[in-house]
Amino acid sequence: TQPDSALSYYRRALALKPNNESVVSKVANLLLAAKDYDGVLALTEDYLALDPDNPTVAPTRRAARPCWGPRPPPSAGCMPQ
Protein backbone atom coordinates (compact mmCIF):
# COMPACT_ATOMS: atom_id res chain seq x y z
CA THR A 1 0.00 0.00 0.00
CA GLN A 2 1.03 3.60 -0.40
CA PRO A 3 1.57 4.36 3.32
CA ASP A 4 3.71 1.22 3.68
CA SER A 5 5.79 2.27 0.69
CA ALA A 6 6.23 5.79 2.07
CA LEU A 7 7.18 4.38 5.45
CA SER A 8 9.81 2.19 3.83
CA TYR A 9 11.43 5.15 2.09
CA TYR A 10 11.29 7.35 5.17
CA ARG A 11 12.90 4.61 7.27
CA ARG A 12 15.78 4.55 4.79
CA ALA A 13 16.12 8.30 5.15
CA LEU A 14 16.09 7.95 8.95
CA ALA A 15 18.94 5.44 8.74
CA LEU A 16 21.01 8.12 7.01
CA LYS A 17 19.86 11.09 9.08
CA PRO A 18 18.23 9.92 12.32
CA ASN A 19 17.86 13.44 13.70
CA ASN A 20 16.15 14.98 10.68
CA GLU A 21 13.07 16.68 12.13
CA SER A 22 11.03 16.47 8.95
CA VAL A 23 11.64 12.75 8.45
CA VAL A 24 11.06 11.90 12.12
CA SER A 25 7.80 13.83 12.02
CA LYS A 26 6.60 12.15 8.81
CA VAL A 27 7.44 8.67 10.03
CA ALA A 28 5.82 9.35 13.41
CA ASN A 29 2.63 10.56 11.71
CA LEU A 30 2.53 7.52 9.42
CA LEU A 31 2.94 5.25 12.45
CA LEU A 32 0.23 7.14 14.32
CA ALA A 33 -2.15 6.77 11.37
CA ALA A 34 -1.37 3.03 11.37
CA LYS A 35 -2.19 2.93 15.11
CA ASP A 36 1.39 1.82 15.86
CA TYR A 37 1.54 3.78 19.10
CA ASP A 38 4.53 1.84 20.42
CA GLY A 39 6.37 2.67 17.19
CA VAL A 40 5.61 6.39 17.59
CA LEU A 41 6.87 6.38 21.17
CA ALA A 42 10.04 4.45 20.32
CA LEU A 43 10.83 6.66 17.33
CA THR A 44 10.27 9.97 19.07
CA GLU A 45 11.93 9.13 22.39
CA ASP A 46 15.53 9.64 21.24
CA TYR A 47 14.69 12.63 19.06
CA LEU A 48 12.85 14.43 21.86
CA ALA A 49 15.66 13.65 24.31
CA LEU A 50 17.68 16.14 22.23
CA ASP A 51 14.84 18.62 21.67
CA PRO A 52 12.04 17.95 24.20
CA ASP A 53 9.84 20.88 23.20
CA ASN A 54 10.10 20.40 19.45
CA PRO A 55 6.86 21.86 18.05
CA THR A 56 6.71 19.37 15.17
CA VAL A 57 7.54 16.04 16.82
CA ALA A 58 6.31 16.52 20.41
CA PRO A 59 2.58 16.83 19.52
CA THR A 60 2.66 13.53 17.63
CA ARG A 61 4.21 11.79 20.64
CA ARG A 62 1.58 13.33 22.91
CA ALA A 63 -1.15 12.05 20.55
CA ALA A 64 0.22 8.49 20.80
CA ARG A 65 0.98 8.48 24.53
CA PRO A 66 -2.57 8.03 25.86
CA CYS A 67 -3.06 5.20 23.35
CA TRP A 68 -0.04 3.24 24.48
CA GLY A 69 -0.58 0.01 26.32
CA PRO A 70 -3.08 -2.82 26.15
CA ARG A 71 -6.16 -0.92 27.35
CA PRO A 72 -6.21 2.84 26.86
CA PRO A 73 -9.11 4.54 28.60
CA PRO A 74 -12.12 5.30 26.36
CA SER A 75 -11.66 8.99 27.15
CA ALA A 76 -8.28 8.93 25.34
CA GLY A 77 -10.08 8.81 21.99
CA CYS A 78 -7.76 6.15 20.59
CA MET A 79 -8.59 4.07 17.58
CA PRO A 80 -8.94 0.35 18.36
CA GLN A 81 -5.82 -1.64 17.53
Side-chain angles (χ1 to χ4, degrees):
T1 65
Q2 189 174 358
D4 291 336
S5 179
L7 188 56
S8 175
Y9 286 110
Y10 282 126
R11 287 196 185 275
R12 289 182 199 166
L14 272 178
L16 297 172
K17 294 185 177 186
N19 293 321
N20 182 297
E21 174 185 348
S22 177
V23 177
V24 170
S25 175
K26 288 177 177 151
V27 172
N29 280 301
L30 284 169
L31 293 172
L32 186 63
K35 298 177 242 158
D36 182 356
Y37 307 119
D38 290 337
V40 174
L41 296 174
L43 173 70
T44 59
E45 183 174 7
D46 290 338
Y47 185 86
L48 290 174
L50 301 172
D51 186 4
D53 298 320
N54 182 282
T56 304
V57 177
T60 305
R61 182 177 176 86
R62 281 194 298 274
R65 191 134 189 83
C67 299
W68 180 73
R71 294 185 139 221
S75 62
C78 302
M79 304 277 290
Q81 291 183 337

